Amino acid sequence: MTETPAQPPAGHPAPELFTWEFATNPYPAYAWLREHAPVHRTKLPSGVEAWLVTRYADAKQALADARLSKNSAHHDEPAHAKGKTGIPGERKAELMTHLLNIDPPDHTRLRRLVSKAFTPRRVAEFAPRVQELTDQLIDGFLEKGEADLIHEFAFPLPIYAICDLLGVPREDQDDFRDWAGMMIRHGGGPRGGVARSVKKMRGYLAELIHRKREELTDQPAPGEDLISGLIRASDHGEHLTENEAAAMAFILLFAGFETTVNLIGNGVHALLLHPGQRQRLQSSLAAGRTDLLETGLEELLRYDGPVELATWRFATEPLSIGGQDIASGDPVLVVLAAADRDPDRFKDPDTLDLSRRDNQHLGYGHGLHYCLGAPLARLEGRTALTTLLTRLPDLQLAGDSADLRWRGGLIMRGLRTLPVEFTPGGRP
C-alpha cells in the first residue's frame, strides 16, 4: 500500500469537518479524505486530536487490531483533553467498566455474560413485543395525519424495547425516556444536562439492581430479564461487580437505543428521498416477500448508517495504518460512514440499491467489538419499516428535506426531527 501523508498534499486543503454543514452531508468530505488523506490527523470540536481512518480496507484492519485498545488509560492525553473521549458523565458516575471501554480478558468475560440475551432465539422471542410497541406508537398519531417520526416513533420504540429487555418496570420507563432524550441531544439541551442524566440513571440502576437481587428466585423464569440474569451470573461465581452490572445495563441502554433511533430515522429519510426504491420495497412487502426487506435493511445501514464513527481506540504501541505511522497513545477513530462509501469496496457506493447483494458493510463494526445488540436492532428496524410502509402507504416528508437538521455529536449520525404526513387513519 502506498505511503499516506500525515497531512493533505500541498494545494489541496482539507475540507472543514464537524460543522453544521458537514453534519448535513459529510459524504463529499469523506470522499476527499479517502482520496487525499485517508488516515488524517485532525482536531475534534472537543480539542482532542485524533486520527480519522476513512478507507474500507484500513478501517476493517483497524477495527480488528488488538494494538488499538478501547481503554482510555492508554490515551497519551494532554491535560486539556482529559475525560473528553467517552460519554459525558460516565467517568464520574463510575460507569466506565462497560464493553465499549475495555479489552480482553474483561471484555470477553462481560460479553459472554450478556450475549445470551441477544441470541437469535431470544431475539425471535422478543419479536411480538417489538411489533406490539410499533403498532401502539403508530396508533398514537395515526388519526392526526402527521407526525414527527423521530420523537413520536423512532425514539420511543427502542427505549421501551431495551427497558423491557433489561427488566425496567413499565412505570419507570418514562424516566428512562427522559434521561435518554437528554443524552441524544448532544449539546442541544442545558449545559451539563447529559452528565446529570447519566448520574440519575446510575442512581436508578444501582437501586434497581439491589431490588432485583432481593427478589431473585432460585431458578430463572423463562425469558428472565437481563439485569436479573447478570445478577444471577454474578452470584454464581462470575465475579460481576455492582459497578460492572450497572455499567453494562447503562451501555446496553445507551448503545442499544440511539443506534436504532438513527437506523429508523435515517432509513425512512433515505427511502422518502428515493421514491423508486421505496416503491420497490412496498410492492415486495405487499406481495408477502421479505427478501428485498432483508437486503434493503443492510443497504440502509451502509448508505446512511446510524453510527458515523466507531467508538474510541487508543494505540498501545507504535503502529502503521494505511502506511501512516501512529504513535503510542494516539486516539484513532474509524469512520464507518466513509468506509461504507469506499468505491474500492462497493460498486456505485453513493447509489441506494436495496437489492445490493455484495454488502459486507461495517455499520455495526467488525471484530471483537462487533455490536452485540445488532440482532435486536435489525429486528426493530425490519419491524418499524415494514409496519410504517404497510400502515402508512402514502407516507411523505412534510416540508423540504433541505430544512431538516442533524444532531451534533461525534459518534452517531441522526436527524433531530423527521416531520411526515399521510392520510389520517392510515389508508389513502
Side-chain angles (χ1 to χ4, degrees), residues 118-390:
F118 298 99
T119 62
R121 178 179 177 181
R122 183 73 177 93
V123 170
E125 290 172 350
F126 203 54
R129 177 57 178 159
V130 172
Q131 184 66 63
E132 179 186 17
L133 286 168
T134 301
D135 284 320
Q136 286 176 353
L137 291 168
I138 292 176
D139 288 344
F141 56 74
L142 188 65
E143 298 304 325
K144 294 192 301 178
E146 61 180 19
D148 174 0
L149 274 191
I150 300 299
H151 291 280
E152 296 180 70
F153 183 72
F155 174 64
L157 174 59
I159 279 287
Y160 293 140
I162 200 71
C163 280
D164 280 354
L165 194 67
L166 287 170
V168 177
R170 300 277 170 91
E171 62 268 21
D172 296 340
Q173 292 185 5
D174 283 337
D175 287 335
F176 265 76
R177 180 174 175 170
D178 292 342
W179 298 329
M182 179 60 68
M183 290 162 68
I184 72 166
R185 288 166 75 175
H186 296 308
R191 184 177 178 84
V194 175
R196 285 194 296 272
S197 292
V198 170
K199 184 177 180 180
K200 289 177 182 177
M201 193 177 292
R202 172 66 175 91
Y204 176 84
L205 288 171
E207 179 186 332
L208 183 62
I209 289 168
H210 178 72
R211 191 164 74 236
K212 284 185 176 291
R213 175 169 271 125
E214 288 187 332
E215 297 170 352
L216 208 64
T217 57
D218 291 338
Q219 296 296 324
E224 181 177 66
D225 68 76
L226 185 49
I227 290 179
S228 295
L230 289 173
I231 296 168
R232 191 181 300 281
S234 178
D235 291 348
H236 284 76
E238 290 284 359
H239 309 298
L240 188 74
T241 68
E242 183 181 294
N243 274 355
E244 287 175 333
M248 181 71 78
F250 165 74
I251 202 58
L252 288 173
L253 178 80
F254 185 80
F257 86 89
E258 189 173 2
T259 52
T260 308
V261 175
N262 296 346
L263 167 58
I264 296 170
N266 298 5
V268 172
H269 178 247
L271 289 174
L272 294 180
L273 294 186
H274 295 82
Q277 293 291 311
R278 176 256 189 93
Q279 184 55 52
R280 287 180 65 202
L281 182 54
Q282 282 185 294
S283 298
S284 174
L285 292 172
R289 301 197 309 272
T290 61
D291 54 331
L292 193 61
L293 175 66
E294 297 294 333
T295 59
L297 187 71
E298 300 309 309
E299 175 69 345
L300 293 170
L301 282 163
R302 182 202 68 82
Y303 180 79
D304 198 11
V307 184
E308 191 165 342
L309 283 76
T311 50
W312 294 86
R313 284 166 168 78
F314 307 93
T316 59
E317 60 183 77
L319 58 101
S320 177
I321 301 176
Q324 173 61 56
D325 291 336
I326 308 292
S328 179
D330 277 1
V332 174
L333 289 166
V334 177
V335 188
L336 305 178
D340 281 343
R341 296 254 191 137
D342 188 341
D344 287 342
R345 176 59 185 84
F346 300 98
K347 182 181 179 182
D348 300 324
D350 295 321
T351 297
L352 180 70
D353 177 8
L354 298 185
S355 57
R356 189 184 296 270
R357 294 286 179 181
D358 181 16
N359 197 357
Q360 296 297 313
H361 64 77
L362 301 176
Y364 283 124
H366 173 69
L368 283 177
H369 292 277
Y370 182 83
C371 178
L372 185 68
L376 178 60
R378 285 185 166 102
L379 168 66
E380 292 170 340
R382 287 193 302 267
T383 305
L385 290 177
T386 300
T387 311
L388 282 171
L389 294 177
T390 302

Side-chain angles (χ1 to χ4, degrees), residues 52-123:
L52 302 181
V53 180
T54 57
R55 287 180 179 167
Y56 182 91
D58 297 336
K60 195 168 183 180
Q61 173 208 326
L63 291 171
D65 195 327
R67 297 170 299 174
L68 291 174
S69 171
K70 300 294 291 176
N71 189 339
S72 61
H74 293 288
H75 184 195
D76 186 16
E77 55 186 341
H80 74 273
K82 195 162 186 64
K84 293 184 178 180
T85 59
I87 300 168
E90 66 175 358
R91 193 183 299 257
K92 286 186 177 179
E94 298 183 317
L95 290 170
M96 293 289 289
T97 52
H98 57 67
L99 292 175
L100 297 186
N101 287 339
I102 58 176
D103 304 313
D106 284 337
H107 177 272
T108 308
R109 173 175 61 89
L110 294 180
R111 188 175 176 108
R112 184 180 68 248
L113 286 177
V114 76
S115 61
K116 66 186 71 174
F118 298 99
T119 62
R121 178 179 177 181
R122 183 73 177 93
V123 170

Side-chain angles (χ1 to χ4, degrees), residues 19-30:
T19 64
W20 287 112
E21 293 78 13
F22 169 84
T24 299
N25 182 14
Y27 296 105
Y30 288 148

